[in-house]
Amino acid sequence: MEDPALKSDQTLNPGLSIQKALLVVLGWLLVIAVIIGVVYQARLSDPYVQDVLHHEGTVAQGNAIFQLNCSGCHGTSGDGKVGPSLRRVTTHRSQVGLIYQITSGKTPPMPKFQANPQEMADLLEYLKTL
């Protein structure tokens, strides 16, 4: 059955519509990727982050900091309690992302944690062991 809204010289081209839709989706993915890259670069250029990344952390010190400041919510082994499990957190979060997460306090009920750069480097090193 013919669509009365189409004139006799108009035809549907489903292939062209799919191509246009794919181009729009790819365009949006590109925009999102650029935004993520800009945000990451902005965080990476933060002087505090740079300072943390230039320090070499120690697991033992990081464990002590974790037990004192984090274990109440994340459990003594990082398995989670009130806060989520931190097991293998470094496999899906970058060090820059972890620094921002820990220091920002933007995920309630987690408070801001303001450690000096060496302490943060130690904590990051410990998180790698979970």
Side-chain angles (χ1 to χ4, degrees):
M1 177 173 206
E2 210 174 299
D3 186 345
L6 293 176
K7 295 180 182 174
S8 61
D9 61 337
Q10 290 179 316
T11 59
L12 293 175
N13 187 346
L16 187 58
S17 296
I18 291 171
Q19 287 175 343
K20 285 182 180 180
L22 285 174
L23 284 175
V24 169
V25 169
L26 287 174
W28 277 109
L29 289 175
L30 180 62
V31 167
I32 291 169
V34 168
I35 291 171
I36 290 171
V38 168
V39 169
Y40 184 80
Q41 282 301 102
R43 288 181 180 175
L44 185 59
S45 66
D46 180 305
Y48 174 76
V49 171
Q50 286 295 313
D51 201 6
V52 169
L53 295 177
H54 284 102
H55 281 81
E56 189 172 322
T58 60
V59 174
Q61 283 298 111
N63 181 24
I65 293 166
F66 183 87
Q67 297 307 321
L68 186 63
N69 297 285
C70 313
S71 65
C73 292
H74 295 286
T76 56
S77 300
D79 291 325
K81 287 171 104 179
V82 175
S85 171
L86 297 178
R87 293 286 184 180
R88 299 180 5 183
V89 70
T90 58
T91 62
H92 59 273
R93 283 278 178 123
S94 69
Q95 288 193 347
V96 173
L98 286 170
I99 293 168
Y100 181 75
Q101 180 78 32
I102 293 166
T103 60
S104 73
K106 291 189 176 182
T107 52
M110 185 169 162
K112 289 182 181 180
F113 180 67
Q114 300 298 322
N116 69 48
Q118 181 61 58
E119 292 170 334
M120 183 60 70
D122 293 336
L123 183 58
L124 291 173
E125 198 64 29
Y126 174 71
L127 290 176
K128 291 177 189 176
T129 69
L130 296 179

